[in-house]
Amino acid sequence: MLSSLFPHRKFIRLDGGMGSMLQKGGMPVGALPEVYNITEPERIIQVQKQFVAVGSDIIYANTFGANRHKMAKAGYSVQELIAAGIRCARAACAGTEAKVALDIGPIGQLLEPLGTLTFEEAYDIFREEVLAGQDADVIVIETMTDLYETKAALLAAKENSDKPVICTMTFEPNLRTFTGCTVASAAMTLEGLGADAVGVNCSLGPDELFPIVEEMAKWTTLPLVVKPNAGLPDPVTGEYLVDPAEFAQAVAKFAQLGVTVYGGCCGTTPEHIKAAYDLLEQTEIAPRDNIAIPAAVCSASEVVQIDQPRIIGERINPTGKKRFKAALQANDMDYILDQAVQQVDAGADLLDVNVGMPGIDEKGMMIRTVKALQSIGGTPLQLDSTIPAVMEAALRVYNGKPIVNSVNGEEASLQNILPLVKKYGAAVVGLTLDENGIPKKAADRFAIAKRILDRATALGIPKRDVYIDCLTLTASAEQEGARETLEALHRVKTELGLKTVLGVSNISFGLPNREAVTRTFLTMALENGLDLPIINPNIASMTEAVRAFRLLCGFDKNCTAFVEAYANMPAATVSAPAAAPSAKASGGEKAPETLDLPYAMSHGLKNEGAKITAQLLETTDAMEVVNGILIPALDSAGKLFEQGKIFLPQLIQTAGVAQAAFEVIKTTLIERNAAPVSRGEIVLATVKGDIHDIGKNIVRVLLENYGYTVLDLGRDVPCQLVADTAKEHGVKLVGLSALMTTTLGAMEETIQLVKQACPDCKVVVGGAVLTADYAEKIGADFYAKDAMETVAVAKEVVG
């Protein structure tokens, strides 16, 4: 759809850095660029005309931050600002073939579970922008770090406009975004949701972006977009360090990856853009016609490739489970989350989620459950419901690419479920049954599988995303059915080339020694091509069978995973689950030894953490709980974060449990008339002229959860106010944040005023435009590259 706008172009040419061009042209610190669309349109048009003059095909309207959250104090409505922005871009493009893009950037507020903004609220904010920008030719969603926020924006664009949509996210050198989203997760999810092109922009220079785009090329068939910065800015002069010739040479290398949409972000001038386009015209762009995308599903932070048998945990399902039914009736989310944690610890790669039960609001419960599961970990989900409305609700709030369980050969099922799978970019399980029930013979089940595949691919669902469940019948009632299931499984795998699923446990229903029967059938099914066994991973022998199969078939190279799981197990307990809380095979109930505060923190169980804290305070001093349990557990999470073993969502979830524990401690001390617990006060602020406060907010959350009292002055804070607050409260530490090079002067002034007002107060600074050397140059005592380093500074300075 995007290429149809420029059918004769070798590649599509985007523009360069509007914000940095305005700053270079004298835009004052703290000004809202979007307001210039109304107050100084000629300044906007003049910048855009320069990019048109050097050949840009698509000019981004000056609407990046024109959402109601960021523009709350602008004095103009979102509709006014966006309409004026598009008029400016149209004026700049007049008399040329250049098109105008509605530019949509991040809201500027963290979405759940990292923040308080709900997915539904984010969607409504983006919907307002899309409706206001209907006069644009293209919609661009850019500079995103949160896949959930990007999904909200993309759904708003696709559901309220017929324009092509480009999505670009901002990654760090570790191939993840600030919030921990992987490159593969972004590519798979955004393509599935209907983006017309995907790629990367901002944050890094072209050389640093190359491995990120290289990885993205493996996971999408869509046109690839690259819009790098001109390197990083010099903190002293504000000038970006990559000149036009260097920029062009670096950008031209992306041609070997098949990139066909190019532009520039922060620091790129018309000279940068022209140099790159001139060189690209002389460069051969590699074709991307035969891309083999792996079969996989994902959350935002975790990709599960279906390249070997993967375990789907079956325990989040009320069928035959009295305790689970009681939890659904009581809205006991802790119990459901605990079932998830146990299964993942025991070896589940994915989790089936079914909350269907008479007498409850299944749709509401499904939404709450999916959101809650996303708040405690990154294990991808299989969404399981027989009601299309429930399924769509789950698909809408899921962050990533899930599996839909399920569709079958009935016409009503095909018509109701497959369009949802297509719209939301999911994988789908096809059950080999139809209006006549489950066929007894393998050949008839195979025929239904082929019918489901044909209907799915006709709708545009990729073959790699169709999984077939040949259905396990109960051996005690239909003994010959086991062989038919295995034959159907083998044929689907070898003749149709599809991934396969089986609910294994049904085979042994009604028989004694069920575990032996189920385990043996599982092994037989794996040998016949089963990819996704749905089992209870808390039954150790089932998980062992899958792990041993992976080892013996060579999937587990060098036996690494098997050894990691079982190396430290005493010989006498070889049947216990590896690296997991011990559990009862029948029900997966958590063993008493797992009921401790560090366990609750590492798994994001807030309510359980609060309960355990209350119990501890009956026998343990509050400060002993804080210093002996809470802080060491937070430190452990911080080390894992620094090592890249967990990411921001997991760090925040651990801190969230700590916060719940601190609230219990504070309440208990008040009731006992004891002194409140606080490790000391710290002032935080985003400096004058800078409205970016997400990083500062994350620092606040962590500091509060380490027991510090944070005086958060917000964003765009006057320099003198920071100094006055520090003096009034006698704090030992002030934290300052800046994201824009133009506000570094305000940061230096704030530091000077703080030092004058409080000579003994220390200042820690952070932000994307800062370096340790520059922090020292402007008088800061400490530089923190992330939130955990700020905590380390607080420990050193405040105690």
Side-chain angles (χ1 to χ4, degrees):
M1 189 174 178
L2 187 65
S3 60
S4 66
L5 295 175
F6 307 98
H8 305 300
R9 286 289 196 199
K10 177 181 177 181
F11 59 92
I12 294 175
R13 308 154 184 249
L14 306 178
D15 60 10
M18 166 63 78
S20 51
M21 287 285 287
L22 290 173
Q23 291 166 5
K24 194 174 181 180
M27 183 177 70
V29 172
L32 298 175
E34 294 78 10
V35 174
Y36 279 31
N37 296 335
I38 295 173
T39 60
E40 298 187 52
E42 66 285 349
R43 182 179 290 199
I44 302 300
I45 295 169
Q46 190 271 335
V47 170
Q48 292 169 331
K49 278 186 173 180
Q50 293 181 59
F51 289 116
V52 172
V54 297
S56 294
D57 296 313
I58 297 177
I59 298 298
Y60 286 22
N62 181 38
T63 55
F64 176 79
N67 64 70
R68 62 176 178 254
H69 173 69
K70 285 186 176 179
M71 298 294 113
K73 298 180 181 179
Y76 300 96
S77 70
V78 169
Q79 290 77 11
E80 290 174 311
L81 291 168
I82 288 180
I86 292 175
R87 283 197 300 272
C88 290
R90 284 272 179 238
C93 297
T96 74
E97 295 182 356
K99 306 297 183 185
V100 171
L102 168 66
D103 186 10
I104 296 177
I107 294 169
Q109 191 173 349
L110 285 171
L111 267 69
E112 57 187 356
L114 298 177
T116 58
L117 187 68
T118 69
F119 178 82
E120 293 81 3
E121 290 168 337
Y123 173 89
D124 193 57
I125 289 171
F126 289 125
R127 177 178 177 273
E128 182 179 29
E129 293 182 78
V130 170
L131 292 175
Q134 293 288 3
D135 289 340
D137 304 304
V138 180
I139 296 173
V140 172
I141 299 163
E142 67 163 340
T143 323
M144 292 290 186
T145 61
D146 184 349
L147 184 60
Y148 212 25
E149 183 176 17
T150 314
K151 176 175 180 174
L154 181 51
L155 280 176
K158 301 300 288 188
E159 292 177 348
N160 297 282
S161 171
D162 59 357
K163 307 294 191 297
V165 184
I166 298 172
C167 290
T168 57
M169 297 189 71
T170 299
F171 292 87
E172 299 182 356
N174 65 357
L175 273 65
R176 289 181 181 264
T177 69
F178 172 65
T179 62
C181 175
T182 72
V183 173
S185 295
M188 281 193 290
T189 302
L190 299 177
E191 177 168 359
L193 290 167
D196 294 278
V198 295
V200 297
N201 80 290
C202 204
S203 180
L204 301 170
D207 286 334
E208 294 80 10
L209 283 185
F210 190 88
I212 296 167
V213 179
E214 186 176 35
E215 174 70 7
M216 186 168 283
K218 301 172 185 176
W219 290 98
T220 180
T221 61
L222 293 176
L224 292 170
V225 185
V226 62
K227 211 170 190 272
N229 288 351
L232 294 173
D234 184 306
V236 178
T237 66
E239 294 293 326
Y240 284 77
L241 301 178
V242 176
D243 67 30
E246 294 171 320
F247 183 80
Q249 289 292 334
V251 166
K253 295 176 184 176
F254 289 96
Q256 65 189 270
L257 301 178
V259 174
T260 53
V261 186
Y262 293 87
C265 205
C266 300
T268 56
T269 64
E271 290 74 24
H272 286 87
I273 299 302
K274 184 178 188 306
Y277 294 162
D278 287 348
L279 186 55
L280 282 165
E281 283 291 356
Q282 306 167 36
T283 305
E284 183 177 353
I285 296 178
R288 299 184 68 242
D289 300 329
N290 299 308
I291 305 164
I293 307 298
V297 292
C298 68
S299 64
S301 61
E302 185 175 334
V303 174
V304 174
Q305 193 169 332
I306 318 300
D307 57 350
Q308 58 184 284
R310 303 290 188 183
I311 296 172
I312 301 178
E314 69 180 8
R315 296 295 302 169
I316 304 178
N317 189 319
T319 305
K321 303 180 185 74
K322 291 182 180 180
R323 179 64 184 88
F324 198 97
K325 290 178 180 179
L328 291 178
Q329 289 173 332
N331 196 27
D332 183 358
M333 197 58 67
D334 272 4
Y335 179 82
I336 297 173
L337 296 182
D338 188 47
Q339 292 296 306
V341 167
Q342 287 185 50
Q343 291 183 96
V344 173
D345 283 350
D349 301 293
L350 304 101
L351 297 173
D352 186 76
V353 182
N354 185 321
V355 295
M357 190 181 76
I360 69 166
D361 173 12
E362 184 179 344
K363 179 179 175 181
M365 178 56 76
M366 178 64 93
I367 292 171
R368 289 193 295 276
T369 301
V370 169
K371 288 186 175 184
L373 289 169
Q374 290 177 166
S375 75
I376 67 163
T379 304
L381 304 181
Q382 175 171 272
L383 307 173
D384 189 350
S385 177
T386 59
I387 303 173
V390 173
M391 183 60 72
E392 178 159 25
L395 286 166
R396 196 166 187 84
V397 300
Y398 182 74
N399 189 13
K401 175 183 175 180
I403 302 174
V404 165
N405 187 18
S406 55
V407 71
N408 62 54
E410 295 181 25
E411 187 59 32
S413 179
L414 294 168
Q415 290 184 6
N416 290 328
I417 301 299
L418 288 181
L420 295 178
V421 174
K422 171 60 179 173
K423 176 179 178 179
Y424 292 99
V428 63
V429 173
L431 305 180
T432 55
L433 61 84
D434 59 16
E435 292 85 352
N436 299 314
I438 303 173
K440 292 186 179 296
K441 295 297 182 182
D444 297 323
R445 295 189 212 177
F446 178 84
I448 295 174
K450 188 174 186 310
R451 189 194 319 159
I452 294 170
L453 173 62
D454 291 343
R455 290 290 290 272
T457 54
L459 274 177
I461 298 169
K463 180 179 176 180
R464 65 179 176 272
D465 289 336
V466 180
Y467 312 155
I468 296 297
D469 186 340
C470 292
L471 298 171
T472 305
L473 301 179
T474 302
S476 60
E478 299 186 60
Q479 193 168 356
E480 68 284 356
R483 182 60 61 187
E484 295 293 335
T485 295
L486 295 175
E487 182 182 341
L489 179 70
H490 181 75
R491 289 192 62 189
V492 165
K493 180 76 172 187
T494 58
E495 296 178 37
L496 296 181
L498 299 180
K499 303 300 182 184
T500 57
V501 184
L502 270 184
V504 177
S505 303
N506 282 347
I507 194 71
S508 61
F509 186 78
L511 292 171
N513 197 5
R514 289 190 63 184
E515 186 175 327
V517 176
T518 305
R519 182 181 65 249
T520 302
F521 180 71
L522 170 61
T523 305
M524 296 170 70
L526 291 168
E527 185 61 28
N528 277 277
L530 177 59
D531 297 292
L532 294 166
I534 304 175
I535 61 174
N536 179 359
N538 297 334
I539 301 176
S541 64
M542 302 302 158
T543 308
E544 288 167 1
V546 176
R547 286 173 171 158
F549 184 85
R550 292 171 182 163
L551 183 155
L552 295 171
C553 290
F555 297 117
D556 182 4
K557 299 298 183 186
N558 301 315
C559 312
T560 303
F562 193 88
V563 170
E564 182 180 351
Y566 299 112
N568 297 322
M569 294 184 66
T573 60
V574 74
S575 291
S582 59
K584 298 178 182 178
S586 59
E589 299 295 333
K590 191 166 61 178
E593 63 266 26
T594 66
L595 294 171
D596 58 43
L597 194 49
Y599 177 87
M601 291 173 66
S602 65
H603 291 86
L605 302 174
K606 286 187 180 180
N607 291 341
E608 188 167 303
K611 292 175 185 176
I612 295 169
T613 302
Q615 293 168 359
L616 285 169
L617 291 174
E618 294 175 4
T619 58
T620 309
D621 180 73
M623 289 312 299
E624 187 176 335
V625 174
V626 171
N627 294 321
I629 301 176
L630 281 174
I631 300 306
L634 284 167
D635 287 342
S636 177
K639 289 177 183 176
L640 292 173
F641 175 75
E642 291 168 357
Q643 294 166 2
K645 294 180 179 179
I646 66 170
F647 302 94
L648 187 61
Q650 290 77 37
L651 185 63
I652 294 296
Q653 81 183 21
T654 301
V657 180
Q659 181 65 32
F662 268 112
E663 290 302 319
V664 171
I665 292 170
K666 289 175 184 177
T667 301
T668 302
L669 291 178
I670 290 171
E671 292 172 350
R672 297 175 181 174
N673 295 317
V677 174
S678 174
R679 296 165 70 90
E681 292 184 326
I682 298 172
V683 171
L684 288 185
T686 299
V687 299
K688 178 65 180 173
D690 203 319
I691 61 170
H692 301 87
D693 62 353
I694 286 179
K696 183 262 298 173
N697 291 343
I698 290 169
V699 170
R700 183 194 69 221
V701 168
L702 287 183
L703 287 173
E704 287 176 342
N705 291 309
Y706 266 85
Y708 299 101
T709 299
V710 177
L711 306 173
D712 186 353
L713 301 182
R715 57 186 181 176
D716 191 18
V717 181
C719 307
Q720 190 63 53
L721 177 59
V722 178
D724 291 345
T725 305
K727 182 176 181 180
E728 178 185 350
H729 290 267
V731 301
K732 296 180 180 179
L733 182 65
V734 169
L736 301 176
S737 171
L739 189 65
M740 302 162 61
T741 55
T742 53
T743 60
L744 290 176
M747 179 174 277
E748 183 174 11
E749 181 183 348
T750 302
I751 293 170
Q752 292 171 354
L753 290 172
V754 168
K755 295 292 186 181
Q756 292 169 10
C758 315
D760 295 330
C761 182
K762 304 297 183 183
V763 180
V764 57
V765 298
V769 295
L770 284 163
T771 63
D773 289 343
Y774 188 67
E776 183 179 0
K777 188 175 297 183
I778 62 176
D781 299 287
F782 301 94
Y783 163 72
K785 67 176 175 36
D786 57 36
M788 281 309 303
E789 285 201 1
T790 307
V791 170
V793 170
K795 287 181 178 181
E796 178 180 341
V797 175
V798 183

